[in-house]
Amino acid sequence: MKKELLFTCLLFLITFSIDAKPKTLDPIATMAQDVTICPGNSATLTITGTPNCTALISVDYGFPNSVVVNIGASGIAIFTTPILHQTTIFTLERVTEFSTGISTTLTGVTVTVTVVPNGCTTVLTNSPAGPNSMISCTPGECRTLTATPTSVPSTASYTVSSIPYCPQAAFTGLGNTLIDANNDDVWSPSIALPFNFSFFDQNYTSCQVGSNGLISFNPQVSPGVCNWNLYDLNIPNTDIRTPKNAILGVFQDIDFRTAGGQSPAEVSINWTLTGTYPCRKLIVNFYHVGQFNCNQTNGLQTSQIVLYEISNIIEVYVQNRTQCLAWEDGDGVIGITNSSGTLGYVPTGRNTNDAWTTTNEAWRFTPSGPNVTSSVRWLEGSTEIASGLNATVCPTQTTSYTAEATYIISGVPFTVTGTSTVIVAPGDETQSPADLSVCYDASGSYTVDLTANDTTIIGAANPNDIEIYYFTSLTDAQNVANPIMNPTTFSFTQDQTIYAVVMNVNYDCYYIKPFQLTILTAVGAPIGISPQTLNEGQPLSSLIVSGQNIQWYDAPQEGNLLPNSTIAQNNVTYYASQMVNNCESRMTLSARLAILVQLNLANGGFDSNTFNFYPNPTSDILTLTSNLADVKLDVFNSLSQKIESRILENGANTINLSNLAQGVYLFQLSLEGKTKTYKIVKN
């Protein structure tokens, strides 16, 4: 099942309509460029296009996977995405005019909203419909689930990278735990971590915050003295005076006291634990802090340190850091260092002696040692159905599956799960299209409205859920490519198969429904003999003609259509056509059947004579009685071919029809220039 509905058509077409209307420009639209946002935010996309249209935008992640946006009279629409937590691609697939219903299918018009990834460990489940959902258009149809667990390197080493400035929490909050900063240079009490944290390949369950902008995994006396002096020593450094087994962000001599104006009243050093397993975070904030000796004169210092569960990623967000050149040469550092000081990592330009100032920047310290041991298994409910990265499932109803990844980090096991939901669509609720036929035309060119099948196909389904496109080949229908652009005036010259693709827009499911276009066989003129004799006052319907749905005209071509109740006139020729499968014989431009009418104007013996035929219908022997002698009998078949002639005697005449094929025969009786015609049926 194709999940991403992308037609490979031209961006726009300039066409001439069949009825020679002025050429018109099909509707078009574009979307603005890619954008990057922080997790948990929305993005604003601008769609520019033909005024008074609707734009269909598909989404590569989640369900539902499409949205319709109205482009008003200004030709500009603003679309605000839902809150996003991962990178998502929005594709402009089609634009449709309100008034005419004319649509243009677009390709390659996409916008990628990149969501800055946080340091959480996840198990993504990918599929054509999006990372966390799949769609099955037929109950029992199989799908292959794929798990992509986040790689978790060991913390034997790290890489340092610059990341977008997206702090993971507010710098202050009512739920945050404050550290007493009435005294300068102090350590917080021990903070019990709700998760095991690996740092330089050692497992820790607690840490302490130093009021000079750092976290230490070495036990410290609280509120004992937190070192403040960098001694102009770059990190890493084995000098006993430099911080060890610590995260520095930003480590500098800051002063949280307010009594002497060192910091403003809103100053805060605090920490909080956020999130749920397996993505809990310890967040430590240093907010609006003055610097020792400079106090508030050179700006307030604000930064944040984040520790992630399982991934053991460390992030440092710096809203503002300025040097206090009046103290310690303005030293400050961002980095991490192991317990001996022999190994450490510092962003370029952010070491002790780099003399740096910055605003709104962020750094990530990502473990880069060998990947830890991990394994994956798949569960349906609590039942294991497969192991490894892939699992094949064939649900008959919407079902969720769990991919469970287990990691062993510094000797501690962790389990992370991801969910893949196979959404089973209700199936094809539409009907089969009807075959369409056209009457033969000598020109050899035909036009038909394919959309006449729309109502038939939709049936009892909700028309708002259905879109229908028509294709001339099965390959195009299967690839949903090159749809017929003008289905209401489709031209063809021979019998052919048309493929309707019926799409359920809610589930991105499509169903192929073929039907036939047939050029009906040319309808010839009806059969009859001429002349024929009627009595005065008899209508045209009394004339004996072999055919279907006989129509009478007063001319061999064009002319006026005459009602069957028209009273026949003497010595007037009338012209008959027939209608077969709603196709009239005159449409072939062939001659109509011409029949000369002669009326019985006198009361001679022939006119008043009654001729009897029995039995009629008959299977072999027909008896014809006449009160006259020497009456000529001519027998004609349905093609007006004379097959027998004889002279009748007065009284009963026996006629053997056993050698004739079944069908209708015309018996024409004539005497002295007058005729009468009768229809005989042979069984």
Side-chain angles (χ1 to χ4, degrees):
M1 164 54 210
K2 185 180 181 64
K3 300 294 184 301
E4 298 178 325
L5 186 61
L6 298 176
F7 292 122
T8 55
C9 301
L10 293 176
L11 181 62
F12 63 89
L13 299 172
I14 300 178
T15 61
F16 288 95
S17 64
I18 298 277
D19 54 355
K21 294 179 181 178
K23 65 181 181 180
T24 58
L25 186 66
D26 286 347
I28 59 172
T30 60
M31 278 196 302
Q33 68 276 8
D34 298 344
V35 64
T36 299
I37 62 173
C38 295
N41 288 275
S42 298
T44 299
L45 308 182
T46 301
I47 298 96
T48 303
T50 303
N52 300 316
C53 289
T54 59
L56 177 65
I57 301 174
S58 67
V59 186
D60 79 326
Y61 171 75
F63 182 82
N65 52 19
S66 63
V67 64
V68 175
V69 178
N70 291 328
I71 302 175
S74 67
I76 297 176
I78 303 299
F79 169 55
T80 301
T81 71
I83 291 175
L84 301 176
H85 293 278
Q86 76 174 62
T87 297
T88 305
I89 298 174
F90 295 86
T91 301
L92 182 56
E93 291 197 341
R94 187 171 59 260
V95 58
T96 305
E97 286 185 321
F98 291 144
S99 57
T100 65
I102 295 175
S103 292
T104 299
T105 301
L106 308 174
T107 58
V109 185
T110 64
V111 165
T112 299
V113 179
T114 300
V115 179
V116 177
N118 57 29
C120 297
T121 299
T122 61
V123 177
L124 295 180
T125 53
N126 61 341
S127 70
N132 290 318
S133 68
M134 301 180 74
I135 297 176
S136 171
C137 295
T138 304
E141 188 177 12
C142 295
R143 289 285 178 265
T144 298
L145 311 178
T146 301
T148 307
T150 303
S151 296
V152 178
S154 69
T155 59
S157 58
Y158 292 82
T159 59
V160 184
S161 59
S162 174
I163 61 174
Y165 179 76
C166 296
Q168 297 299 298
F171 289 99
T172 60
L174 294 177
N176 294 6
T177 300
L178 298 176
I179 294 176
D180 183 5
N182 290 327
N183 295 307
D184 188 23
D185 305 327
V186 296
W187 286 102
S188 74
S190 178
I191 301 172
L193 297 174
F195 52 85
N196 291 270
F197 188 79
S198 178
F199 188 65
F200 286 100
D201 264 354
Q202 295 297 313
N203 185 66
Y204 296 97
T205 58
S206 64
C207 64
Q208 288 175 267
V209 176
S211 67
N212 285 317
L214 75 163
I215 294 175
S216 175
F217 292 102
N218 288 337
Q220 306 289 341
V221 176
S222 176
V225 176
C226 173
N227 182 38
W228 50 268
N229 197 338
L230 285 167
Y231 304 101
D232 293 329
L233 298 173
N234 278 337
I235 300 298
N237 201 301
T238 58
D239 190 288
I240 193 172
R241 296 169 297 178
T242 59
K244 306 291 189 299
N245 208 26
I247 300 169
L248 317 173
V250 176
F251 178 48
Q252 58 185 335
D253 192 3
I254 48 182
D255 193 341
F256 281 82
R257 293 175 297 176
T258 59
Q262 296 91 335
S263 292
E266 74 270 17
V267 67
S268 175
I269 175 172
N270 62 78
W271 60 270
T272 185
L273 292 163
T274 66
T276 58
Y277 182 89
C279 190
R280 289 173 288 189
K281 293 174 279 190
L282 171 67
I283 300 176
V284 179
N285 296 301
F286 306 89
Y287 177 69
H288 279 191
V289 191
Q291 297 189 62
F292 186 83
N293 203 36
C294 285
N295 297 339
Q296 304 177 49
T297 59
N298 65 327
L300 300 176
Q301 315 299 296
T302 297
S303 62
Q304 180 181 94
I305 300 174
V306 182
L307 277 59
Y308 286 92
E309 180 177 23
I310 300 180
S311 71
N312 302 304
I313 286 174
I314 302 163
E315 292 174 344
V316 175
Y317 295 91
V318 184
Q319 186 184 80
N320 183 63
R321 191 270 169 172
T322 53
Q323 291 180 282
C324 174
L325 296 177
W327 183 251
E328 280 198 308
D329 299 324
D331 289 348
V333 62
I334 297 174
I336 59 175
T337 179
N338 67 358
S339 58
S340 63
T342 57
L343 185 60
Y345 300 88
V346 176
T348 301
R350 297 296 179 261
N351 219 324
T352 303
N353 296 316
D354 287 330
W356 57 279
T357 293
T358 192
T359 59
N360 294 344
E361 76 173 27
W363 300 95
R364 178 174 289 172
F365 299 84
T366 304
S368 58
N371 286 345
V372 303
T373 302
S374 65
S375 60
V376 177
R377 65 175 188 154
W378 287 91
L379 305 173
E380 182 178 349
S382 58
T383 303
E384 181 175 339
I385 60 172
S387 61
L389 298 180
N390 299 315
T392 299
V393 296
C394 309
T396 58
Q397 60 185 2
T398 298
T399 306
S400 293
Y401 303 90
T402 300
E404 181 183 272
T406 299
Y407 303 91
I408 307 298
I409 306 171
S410 295
V412 178
F414 296 87
T415 298
V416 182
T417 61
T419 300
S420 182
T421 299
V422 179
I423 299 171
V424 178
D428 183 10
E429 298 177 318
T430 61
Q431 308 301 313
S432 297
D435 293 336
L436 302 179
S437 59
V438 294
C439 297
Y440 173 83
D441 189 312
S443 69
S445 179
Y446 303 90
T447 300
V448 68
D449 181 4
L450 302 178
T451 64
N453 254 322
D454 285 3
T455 301
T456 302
I457 292 172
I458 292 172
N462 185 344
N464 295 325
D465 297 340
I466 304 299
E467 291 184 353
I468 303 172
Y469 299 89
Y470 296 94
F471 301 83
T472 57
S473 74
L474 178 59
T475 299
D476 281 347
Q478 291 170 333
N479 294 321
V480 197
N482 306 313
I484 295 171
M485 298 306 295
N486 297 297
T488 58
T489 54
F490 177 69
S491 296
F492 64 108
T493 59
Q494 60 185 4
D495 293 353
Q496 71 179 96
T497 301
I498 296 296
Y499 301 87
V501 169
V502 182
M503 310 185 72
N504 185 317
V505 297
N506 293 326
Y507 294 92
D508 199 17
C509 291
Y510 74 94
Y511 307 92
I512 299 175
K513 298 174 180 282
F515 61 94
Q516 300 299 317
L517 295 185
T518 302
I519 302 169
L520 297 175
T521 303
V523 179
I527 304 300
I529 60 174
S530 179
Q532 293 190 31
T533 302
L534 298 178
N535 294 325
E536 285 188 277
Q538 283 189 284
L540 296 179
S541 59
S542 298
L543 293 172
I544 298 176
V545 176
S546 183
Q548 300 181 36
N549 305 307
I550 301 300
Q551 308 248 44
W552 291 96
Y553 294 85
D554 59 4
Q557 299 290 339
E558 299 182 353
N560 299 305
L561 176 65
L562 303 176
N564 286 346
S565 59
T566 300
I567 301 301
Q569 302 299 313
N570 188 42
N571 291 322
V572 174
T573 300
Y574 297 93
Y575 302 89
S577 70
Q578 65 172 328
M579 186 81 70
V580 180
N581 295 324
N582 293 319
C583 296
E584 192 175 353
S585 57
R586 68 185 182 91
M587 298 178 69
T588 67
L589 300 181
S590 61
R592 298 165 180 159
L593 171 64
I595 295 182
L596 173 64
V597 173
Q598 295 177 336
L599 298 181
N600 291 317
L601 301 178
N603 292 320
F606 182 81
D607 297 335
S608 60
N609 184 59
T610 300
F611 297 95
N612 292 316
F613 298 83
Y614 62 88
N616 186 17
T618 183
S619 58
D620 47 23
I621 302 301
L622 176 71
T623 299
L624 189 163
T625 62
S626 172
N627 295 328
L628 298 175
D630 299 325
V631 175
K632 184 181 179 183
L633 168 64
D634 291 317
V635 179
F636 298 86
N637 63 16
S638 61
L639 299 178
S640 297
Q641 297 168 330
K642 184 186 294 186
I643 59 176
E644 183 180 349
S645 293
R646 68 163 64 182
I647 302 298
L648 300 180
E649 298 177 354
N650 188 324
N653 297 265
T654 300
I655 303 172
N656 188 351
L657 302 181
S658 60
N659 293 327
L660 299 181
Q662 294 180 350
V664 175
Y665 295 86
L666 300 179
F667 279 41
Q668 187 178 72
L669 303 175
S670 58
L671 181 66
E672 297 177 352
K674 296 184 178 181
T675 64
K676 289 185 178 182
T677 305
Y678 298 87
K679 182 166 64 176
I680 305 300
V681 178
K682 164 67 188 303
N683 289 332

